[in-house]
Amino acid sequence: MSTPATLSLLEPSWSPLNHPLALQSPTPDNSAEINKAKEKISKLEASKEHWMLEAQLLNIKLEKAQKQLREAEQSKVSNSSSPDVPVDTLLDLTDSDSSMKTQLPWDDSGLREEAIRQHYTNRVNNLLDTVQRTDGDCLLFKKECLSLKKETECLRKAAEPSRHRHGK
């Protein structure tokens, strides 16, 4: 029979408890580390459970959105005319109010999502235009400043020899 230190992992009698280090009693330092590790494990397990639930919820939302999109496409094909509702009106209405749900012009056909998407697309485009104009103004201002700096340096250099002549 072999000693615990030479036991092979393949032997049926091998166990982590048979390991020589497992027989030692935990020191205060080791027990604190063990407690910290157990706390980390429990936190990670809770986090894992949380994110798995989040993933399931997102999958359900994705399936629902895809279903609504298919229904919207089918309704667009069957009804070529759709009600024109301003984007701001669509964005101001909420789904949480049950009395409003019956009055909503989109009735779960995906028009609300389309209006929101279009609103944010327009908003992003406007912001990009603003950023580009601002960048152009900044470059113009920088070039102006550099030009004024060069002109000032040239004027100083031109003024220096005349000062030296007057000073002599």
Side-chain angles (χ1 to χ4, degrees):
M1 179 95 183
S2 59
T3 62
T6 61
L7 281 175
S8 168
L9 293 175
L10 300 175
E11 291 182 21
S13 63
W14 184 88
S15 164
L17 298 175
N18 292 341
H19 194 275
L21 295 177
L23 300 176
Q24 298 175 354
S25 63
T27 63
D29 293 336
N30 288 345
S31 62
E33 288 179 21
I34 290 171
N35 289 337
K36 285 181 185 178
K38 286 180 182 179
E39 288 175 11
K40 276 187 177 179
I41 289 171
S42 65
K43 287 180 184 177
L44 288 172
E45 286 175 349
S47 177
K48 176 186 172 187
E49 187 68 26
H50 166 76
W51 289 113
M52 288 183 73
L53 288 172
E54 285 288 327
Q56 288 176 348
L57 286 172
L58 288 174
N59 282 333
I60 291 169
K61 286 182 180 180
L62 175 65
E63 290 171 2
K64 184 178 177 182
Q66 288 173 341
K67 181 181 174 186
Q68 288 177 350
L69 184 61
R70 282 191 298 262
E71 290 173 357
E73 288 174 355
Q74 289 174 356
S75 68
K76 282 182 184 178
V77 170
S78 63
N79 296 336
S80 61
S81 64
S82 63
D84 292 331
V85 179
V87 173
D88 295 334
T89 307
L90 295 175
L91 294 176
D92 290 339
L93 298 175
T94 60
D95 286 332
S96 61
D97 189 8
S98 61
S99 65
M100 292 291 287
K101 278 190 176 180
T102 58
Q103 299 172 3
L104 297 177
W106 48 82
D107 291 331
D108 292 330
S109 65
L111 294 175
R112 180 175 186 264
E113 287 82 8
E114 181 74 26
I116 291 171
R117 185 180 308 119
Q118 186 172 5
H119 169 77
Y120 282 113
T121 301
N122 290 339
R123 180 75 176 132
V124 167
N125 288 337
N126 289 340
L127 290 172
L128 285 174
D129 289 342
T130 304
V131 166
Q132 288 175 349
R133 271 188 262 117
T134 306
D135 284 346
D137 291 345
C138 281
L139 287 175
L140 180 65
F141 182 70
K142 180 180 177 182
K143 287 180 181 180
E144 239 179 86
C145 289
L146 290 174
S147 173
L148 288 172
K149 180 182 173 185
K150 284 182 183 180
E151 190 175 330
T152 305
E153 288 173 355
C154 289
L155 288 174
R156 283 186 184 159
K157 286 181 184 178
E160 276 183 23
S162 64
R163 285 186 194 163
H164 290 297
R165 286 187 218 146
H166 295 296
K168 288 185 179 179

